[in-house]
Amino acid sequence: MHAQVLSVPGPAAAGPLRPEDRPDPIPGPDELLLDVAACAVCRTDLQICEGDLAARHLPIIPGHQIVGRVTAVGSSVSDWTVGNRAGVAWLGGACGECRYCRSGRENLCAEARFTGWDRDGGYATRSLVRADFALQIPASFGDAAATPLLCGGIIGYRSYRLSGVAPGQRLGLFGFGASALLTLQVAVYQGCEVFVVTRSGRAQRFAREQGAVWAGGYEDEIPAGLDGAITFAPAGTVAVAALQAVAPGGTVAVNAVHTDAVPSFPFSYLWEERVLRSVANFTRSDATQFLEIAAAIPIRTTVQEYPLARANEALADLAAGRVVGAAVLVTDSP
Ligand SMILES: [Zn+2]
Ligand SMILES: [Zn+2]
């Protein structure tokens, strides 16, 4: 197989990935071998490749938004067969036995393993995945078009759930990138009124075109109390701004792996049972629910395709803000 391998993290512009030919991996009893068709490039991949997020082991093949076809099945796998299409996302495994796994919270499992961080991912023509963490991709999505759903889409959906906003209620989205755009489509589909706060006038116009009832900047006053909000911008100040915009009983869900410090704020911002909470990873149940809704809407994704061999270029374009929609690596394997 061909792979784009990270051994030494460094600036995207310098091309931290190196091409490598390796023998095809052999699936363990509980694994599938996939022939990778497409793998989207996430901002988290960029953080791993540049060293902002320390790789759990090196060398590693990045990539955690994979769509491919099963070419070999482990001996104890019964629910997948050769030729099936499968998707793979960030959560690549969990222990199944701890108190979190046993209570529907495998996203918090201390033994959780992440695709393209602990386990080799999809910047390759072949990829090994745990069969019980592989996802069914709705038939209506093409291979490349499905890949962006597998990270920002699923995590955005979990954030929407954790915001507690019910159909018909008012949801605020703070920051408007790829994940927020997917979340907006879910919330509008659920009959929510969506209010988008983002700096760029262009993004504000785009949000209104996509169905937001209102879009404005951080200095503008939101015209109604929000029942809940999701922050996508990795800034502690944004979490506090969102808290000030939610009505009593409202939740602010912070969709970010890390942000800078949350500034101190008066207790009155939390008073009346407002909640500020983080969102960590997702569960397979979130993924399955989201993919069903994505097909029903149907969500439209925008992708910019790159051949696998040009993975460094995709990373550099993402770092420089030159990608429209999602960058997706495509292979013509085998
Ligand atoms: Zn991601
Ligand atoms: Zn566990």
Side-chain angles (χ1 to χ4, degrees), residues 91 93 106-107 149 170 192 209 225 227 329:
L91 185 65
E106 61 194 11
N107 60 307
L149 302 174
R170 290 191 286 259
C192 295
E209 285 164 22
D227 295 297
L329 306 179

Side-chain angles (χ1 to χ4, degrees), residues 2 13 23 36 64 70 76 97 106 124 152 154 173 175 178 208-209 262 277 290 297 311 319 323 334:
H2 304 297
V36 177
H64 58 267
V70 176
S76 66
E97 290 166 4
E106 61 194 11
I154 299 172
L173 303 179
R208 285 190 289 267
E209 285 164 22
V262 178
R277 70 178 297 169
F290 168 70
I297 294 175
V323 177

Side-chain angles (χ1 to χ4, degrees), residues 41-310:
V41 178
C42 179
R43 197 157 284 280
T44 304
D45 301 343
L46 180 63
Q47 290 174 333
I48 292 169
C49 290
E50 294 200 307
D52 294 333
L53 179 61
R56 292 260 191 106
H57 78 85
L58 291 170
I60 183 112
I61 302 171
H64 58 267
Q65 303 169 86
I66 309 169
V67 173
R69 279 169 190 72
V70 176
T71 58
V73 175
S75 56
S76 66
V77 176
S78 58
D79 45 355
W80 292 91
T81 54
V82 169
N84 287 166
R85 185 163 76 149
V88 187
W90 177 239
L91 185 65
C95 80
E97 290 166 4
C98 70
R99 62 193 175 117
Y100 296 108
C101 285
R102 285 170 173 276
S103 59
R105 296 179 293 164
E106 61 194 11
N107 60 307
L108 300 178
C109 174
E111 300 299 317
R113 292 291 174 263
F114 299 100
T115 313
W117 196 30
D118 297 293
R119 297 176 59 98
D120 278 337
Y123 290 14
T125 54
R126 296 284 162 91
S127 190
L128 276 185
V129 306
R130 248 179 77 168
D132 52 349
F133 281 78
L135 302 167
Q136 305 271 2
I137 304 292
S140 51
F141 292 104
D143 293 338
T147 57
L149 302 174
L150 293 173
C151 188
I154 299 172
I155 293 173
Y157 175 72
R158 181 174 179 83
S159 303
Y160 166 70
R161 278 209 313 106
L162 295 188
S163 75
V165 171
Q169 291 190 324
R170 290 191 286 259
L171 172 70
L173 303 179
F174 288 72
F176 197 64
S179 181
L181 172 59
L182 296 170
T183 309
L184 169 71
Q185 293 178 67
V186 170
V188 168
Y189 178 73
Q190 305 277 13
C192 295
E193 286 185 72
V194 182
F195 298 75
V196 171
V197 181
T198 181
R199 258 177 251 295
S200 134
R202 209 178 67 175
Q204 291 168 14
R205 277 193 300 280
F206 185 50
R208 285 190 289 267
E209 285 164 22
Q210 296 296 315
V213 295
W214 179 91
Y218 287 92
E219 66 291 348
D220 297 326
E221 190 168 344
I222 300 174
L226 303 172
D227 295 297
I230 306 168
T231 69
F232 295 90
T237 51
V238 173
V240 177
L243 199 52
Q244 290 176 269
V246 298
T251 292
V252 174
V254 177
N255 179 324
V257 177
H258 63 90
T259 80
D260 54 10
V262 178
S264 70
F265 54 83
F267 178 69
S268 59
Y269 292 7
L270 265 184
W271 174 239
E272 295 172 310
E273 302 193 340
R274 291 175 180 85
V275 176
L276 178 62
R277 70 178 297 169
S278 62
V279 180
N281 313 313
F282 60 85
T283 65
R284 282 170 285 179
S285 156
D286 293 321
T288 306
Q289 286 176 31
F290 168 70
L291 289 170
E292 276 171 21
I293 292 174
I297 294 175
I299 281 184
R300 308 228 177 277
T301 58
T302 305
V303 302
Q304 192 167 312
E305 294 188 8
Y306 298 75
L308 175 63
R310 283 164 50 198

